[in-house]
Amino acid sequence: MKTAHRGGGPRRRPRVLRALPLTPAVLVMLAFLAGPIGYCVYLAFTDLQLTGQAESSFVGFDNFLDAFGDEDFLNAVWLTLVFTVLSSLIGQNTLGLGLALLMQRASKAVRTLTGGIVITAWVLPEVVAGFLLYAFFKRDGTLNAVLDWLHLPTQNWLFALPILAVSFANVWRGTAFSMLVYSAALNEIPKEIVESAQMDGAGGLRRLWHITLPMIRRSIGTNLMLNTLQTLSVFGLIWVMTRGGPGNDSQTLPLYMYEQAFQNSMIGYATAVALLLLVVGSLFSVVYMRLLRTEI
Amino acid sequence: MATRTFAARSRGPFLTPRTARRLAADLGLLALAAAFVLPLAWVVLSSLDEKADLRVQWPKEASFANFDAVLTDEITFTPLLNSLLLCGVATLLTVVCAALAAYPLSRYRSRLNRPFLLTILFATCLPITAIMVPVYAMFVQVELIDTMQGVIFLFAASQLPFAIWLMKNFMDGVPKELEEAAWTDGASPLQSLLRIVLPLMGPGVAVVTVFSFVMMWGNFFVPFMLLLSPDQFPAAVSINDFFGNRGTVVYGQLAAFSIIYSTPVIVLYMLVARRLGGGFALGGAVKG
């Protein structure tokens, strides 16, 4: 912590009174954040349905056993994995680092222009980004027009390779975050270190591998965690582009959960899936906090 | 002067290694920028083209006809007003609660601060998407489903952990010494928060406000799940109608509406970009 806390404060007040300003925030978070999470844990062990059934009963681990026996669920797990690895670990992270590295050397005008475009893609509302990428990947969309112009084979992307298309969409939308994180990290590397390595005759790739990357490794760690958590909860982008289809070919866990809850009315079962998603998110969250542990 | 020695050692007089490197970097960035800009170009060009389809093309007769067509109560004004109501009230709630909560966390030393802050940080990272099905079930029980206040509270709750975290970090930057005079004059904590701390961290409050608003404005899943009556839909949800219910999609109008809907957040983002930029995430926690 940066500020020195010397205790005291405005006169010495009873501890309870001091904590009073926390109450509104704590109440809202308890009721609308902790509440649903607790309810999620409870519902996941029941067979609550949306319609038809007046009462729900406790079913133990049935929902989870059902899930792991369900092909559609396993398909959603697999697609979530593909989506996360392709778009977050590989796409956003590497492209963001690449952009940041290039920006270190580029002229100011090009840097500002590129940064502006990439950040605009990031700031756009999720649904709008979804529409733009839908138009881009659609059979008669821009991508095929460009490929055609280059005399390359075209493809009905949203039909043939939907998970690839939504992964690219997520890269388009999410890369700005990594770019900003890495630009900040690179700016903090002392110039002398890079220059002395240059003097010693280390080439660009060696400098990147032996100096730059080790020096920003904490940024890499935190960025990977945050990207992954973001990507795990993407819904609107995929919903707008493919609705999880065709068939189940781009149905990641959040879309599977939604379908189970509202198309199949299986609230209890969908909540079990939600709980699994929450547990995975929590694991990433804990690792992330360990990475940051010196900061608090 | 290291660079100058470098330039002097170069082979050719015109293209020094340094300029060559810069040129290569510029070209690389421009190529990437071109790839990124194509979808954006589509929305801008199509919004001006009554006969727009799905590919990027220059409008034969540029006009504002698409904007005229969508600027009606039903398509634009009601959803935008709903968005403004939902996000505005939720942002206000978030900022007020976060400022109050950040004060004791920043000003007093307590054994509970660290566990509280760790919990907040943990909550910041949870995927909010995951809890939407239980939230739906819960809101049905307590009759908050299909109400504006339900969405507002959920927006605020989901944004609060990050807002508190950010606010606390900005507040730590205001030296305690400045408050001490007020305390000796007998000012209450609330008075010194309102009169001294918050004015001094104005830019910080602006960042928290704008960031919360931008996040809520773009959020699709929360209102999509919790609101059922179309007359309450914010723009994030009503934009779906362009696909679903209107039969053939008029892409030009869709593009025009997308621009109208996106402009506020882009403008707001630009206003605070300098402070938000870089390792802003989690109030500098990303710095490595």
Side-chain angles (χ1 to χ4, degrees), chain B residues 12-280:
Chain B
F14 297 117
L15 208 62
T16 64
R18 196 183 149 78
T19 28
R21 274 206 307 274
R22 182 195 291 171
L23 209 63
D26 281 355
L27 288 176
L29 276 186
L30 285 175
L32 287 171
F36 265 89
V37 88
L38 279 174
L40 292 172
W42 176 77
V43 76
V44 175
L45 295 176
S46 300
S47 71
L48 300 171
D49 186 353
E50 259 187 293
K51 298 191 178 71
D53 58 18
L54 283 168
R55 62 184 68 192
V56 175
Q57 58 191 339
W58 208 255
K60 290 191 185 71
E61 294 165 50
S63 76
F64 286 102
N66 291 321
F67 287 93
D68 280 342
V70 297
L71 283 175
T72 64
D73 277 347
E74 190 204 356
I75 301 178
T76 300
F77 297 117
T78 309
L80 281 187
L81 214 60
N82 288 337
S83 287
L84 196 65
L85 190 65
L86 290 174
C87 307
V89 178
T91 302
L92 189 70
L93 190 63
T94 307
V95 173
V96 170
C97 287
L100 286 173
Y103 188 74
L105 292 171
S106 171
R107 263 35 192 172
Y108 304 119
R109 192 168 43 182
S110 159
R111 265 175 300 130
L112 291 176
N113 275 3
R114 196 179 143 83
F116 187 84
L117 283 169
L118 282 173
T119 313
I120 290 287
L121 184 59
F122 178 75
T124 303
C125 296
L126 286 183
I128 189 79
T129 308
I131 64 165
M132 286 315 292
V133 171
V135 164
Y136 178 88
M138 193 178 97
F139 274 26
V140 171
Q141 300 270 319
V142 298
E143 292 181 6
L144 274 175
I145 205 74
D146 199 23
T147 61
M148 294 284 221
Q149 58 270 38
V151 177
I152 287 171
F153 275 115
L154 200 76
F155 268 159
S158 59
Q159 203 54 49
L160 259 174
F162 186 66
I164 294 176
W165 182 264
L166 211 57
M167 195 74 96
K168 190 232 164 223
N169 277 317
F170 282 122
M171 213 174 268
D172 283 347
V174 178
K176 233 172 164 180
E177 287 72 28
L178 295 166
E179 278 172 272
E180 275 162 4
W183 294 338
T184 41
D185 289 342
S188 71
L190 186 65
Q191 283 169 326
S192 74
L193 173 67
L194 287 179
R195 300 258 172 82
I196 299 166
V197 183
L198 287 180
L200 281 171
M201 54 177 282
V205 178
V207 168
V208 178
T209 310
V210 167
F211 189 78
S212 303
F213 189 85
V214 169
M215 293 307 286
M216 293 168 190
W217 189 264
N219 192 312
F220 165 73
F221 201 34
V222 171
F224 176 67
M225 291 278 278
L226 300 182
L227 292 176
L228 311 170
S229 354
D231 60 322
Q232 299 195 41
F233 284 170
V237 180
S238 76
I239 195 173
N240 247 323
D241 283 359
F242 278 97
F243 261 129
N245 308 334
R246 286 171 210 273
T248 51
V249 187
V250 187
Y251 290 108
Q253 294 182 14
L254 176 62
F257 182 74
S258 297
I259 287 182
I260 296 170
Y261 166 43
S262 308
T263 307
V265 284
I266 293 175
V267 171
L268 280 174
Y269 179 84
M270 287 194 306
L271 286 177
V272 297
R274 277 178 153 269
R275 292 188 155 260
L276 265 175
F280 84 89

Side-chain angles (χ1 to χ4, degrees), chain A residues 1-11 13 15 18-19 21-22 24-26 28-29 31-33 35-37 39-40 43 48 50 95 99 102-103 105-107 110-111 113-114 117-128 131-136 138-142 145-146 171-173 175 177 180-181 184 188 195 198-199 215 218-219 222 226 229 232-236 239-240 243 254 257-258 261-262 267 270-271 274 277-278 281-282 285-286 288-289 292-293 295-296, chain B residues 2 6 9 21-22 24-26 28-30 32-33 35-40 42-43 54-56 93 97-98 100-101 103-110 114 116-123 125-139 141 144 150 153-154 156-158 160-161 164-165 168 172-174 176-177 180 183 186-189 214 217-221 224-225 236 239-240 243 251 254 258 261-262 265-266 269 277-282 284-288:
Chain A
M1 278 205 225
K2 273 173 236 158
T3 339
H5 286 248
R6 276 168 290 147
R11 285 172 283 158
R13 298 176 154 260
R15 280 178 191 281
R18 287 187 187 175
L22 279 166
V26 171
V28 172
M29 287 190 294
F32 294 93
L33 213 57
I37 292 174
Y39 199 43
C40 180
L43 281 184
L48 182 67
L50 201 58
L95 190 58
L99 280 164
L102 285 174
M103 281 184 165
R105 294 177 164 179
S107 59
V110 175
R111 200 163 61 212
L113 178 75
T114 313
I117 290 169
V118 175
I119 289 173
T120 306
W122 181 52
V123 180
L124 284 183
E126 194 178 14
V127 184
V128 173
F131 280 135
L132 298 195
L133 273 304
Y134 170 85
F136 185 73
K138 196 82 176 124
R139 189 206 287 272
D140 42 5
T142 304
V146 173
V171 173
W172 183 80
R173 179 169 149 76
T175 297
F177 181 78
L180 290 171
V181 169
E188 295 203 352
E195 275 169 12
Q198 242 168 6
M199 292 298 182
M215 289 197 74
R218 279 170 50 94
S219 293
T222 49
L226 291 174
L229 283 161
L232 271 181
S233 54
V234 170
F235 179 88
W239 177 258
V240 171
R243 296 275 194 274
M257 180 187 84
Y258 178 81
F262 295 103
I267 294 274
T271 313
L277 200 60
L278 212 53
S282 310
S285 202
V286 168
Y288 170 69
M289 282 160 63
L292 286 181
R293 67 182 175 278
E295 302 262 335
I296 311 173
Chain B
F6 233 55
R9 267 198 279 147
R21 274 206 307 274
R22 182 195 291 171
D26 281 355
L29 276 186
L30 285 175
L32 287 171
F36 265 89
V37 88
L38 279 174
L40 292 172
W42 176 77
V43 76
L54 283 168
R55 62 184 68 192
V56 175
L93 190 63
C97 287
L100 286 173
Y103 188 74
L105 292 171
S106 171
R107 263 35 192 172
Y108 304 119
R109 192 168 43 182
S110 159
R114 196 179 143 83
F116 187 84
L117 283 169
L118 282 173
T119 313
I120 290 287
L121 184 59
F122 178 75
C125 296
L126 286 183
I128 189 79
T129 308
I131 64 165
M132 286 315 292
V133 171
V135 164
Y136 178 88
M138 193 178 97
F139 274 26
Q141 300 270 319
L144 274 175
F153 275 115
L154 200 76
S158 59
L160 259 174
I164 294 176
W165 182 264
K168 190 232 164 223
D172 283 347
V174 178
K176 233 172 164 180
E177 287 72 28
E180 275 162 4
W183 294 338
S188 71
V214 169
W217 189 264
N219 192 312
F220 165 73
F221 201 34
F224 176 67
M225 291 278 278
I239 195 173
N240 247 323
F243 261 129
Y251 290 108
L254 176 62
S258 297
Y261 166 43
S262 308
V265 284
I266 293 175
Y269 179 84
F280 84 89
L282 302 188
V286 165
K287 260 187 275 171

